[in-house]
Amino acid sequence: MWISRQLAQEKQETPPIQTAKVTLNNTGEDNGVSAGSERGVKLCSPYGYCFSLPAGESLILTHCDAQQTAIGVTMAAKGLKTGEIKITSESGGYIYLKNDGSVIINGLEINRDGVIVSDR
């Protein structure tokens, strides 16, 4: 009997950080599946960045203000050197900021002086 009282008193807490798969995105409120089903997951990003996640992406979830909050997505930095940044869309469009100061936008390369180096 004391065991059942003890178990009843213990909180069933969600792990501090977990992963989930996006199952539905509706105007910036994402739904995902982790240990349970998460609805209306709040998305966080650095100031100025806005995004809409496609279904199937892996979210990193934590609790913030008593609700599940996505603090990022899992990703692979294939082909990037340390310090480089590449922003991509689901359709394949991209902006690639390289360490040498050049920028590549969908294959159009602009050097650090603003001169077009190659257009594919």
Side-chain angles (χ1 to χ4, degrees):
M1 192 185 264
W2 67 270
I3 293 174
S4 62
R5 278 194 302 258
Q6 181 68 25
L7 289 173
Q9 290 176 355
E10 290 180 9
K11 289 183 178 178
Q12 297 295 324
E13 293 188 25
T14 305
I17 297 181
Q18 59 185 334
T19 60
K21 287 278 188 196
V22 175
T23 57
L24 176 68
N25 180 329
N26 184 14
T27 62
E29 279 200 358
D30 289 290
N31 294 332
V33 175
S34 58
S37 181
E38 311 295 341
R39 295 184 183 267
V41 174
K42 184 166 63 170
L43 296 173
C44 295
S45 71
Y47 177 79
Y49 286 79
C50 295
F51 54 89
S52 180
L53 293 170
E57 286 295 321
S58 292
L59 296 171
I60 308 298
L61 298 176
T62 191
H63 264 70
C64 179
D65 295 331
Q67 78 177 65
Q68 285 286 48
T69 303
I71 56 174
V73 296
T74 57
M75 58 96 193
K78 357 178 203 177
L80 297 181
K81 295 178 182 164
T82 301
E84 294 184 332
I85 299 169
K86 188 173 185 182
I87 303 168
T88 59
S89 70
E90 186 178 25
S91 66
Y94 67 94
I95 300 171
Y96 181 10
L97 307 174
K98 298 181 69 176
N99 286 334
D100 64 5
S102 64
V103 178
I104 301 175
I105 303 171
N106 294 336
L108 174 71
E109 185 174 355
I110 304 168
N111 71 16
R112 69 178 319 130
D113 299 319
V115 177
I116 295 175
V117 177
S118 77
D119 58 3
R120 294 186 201 191

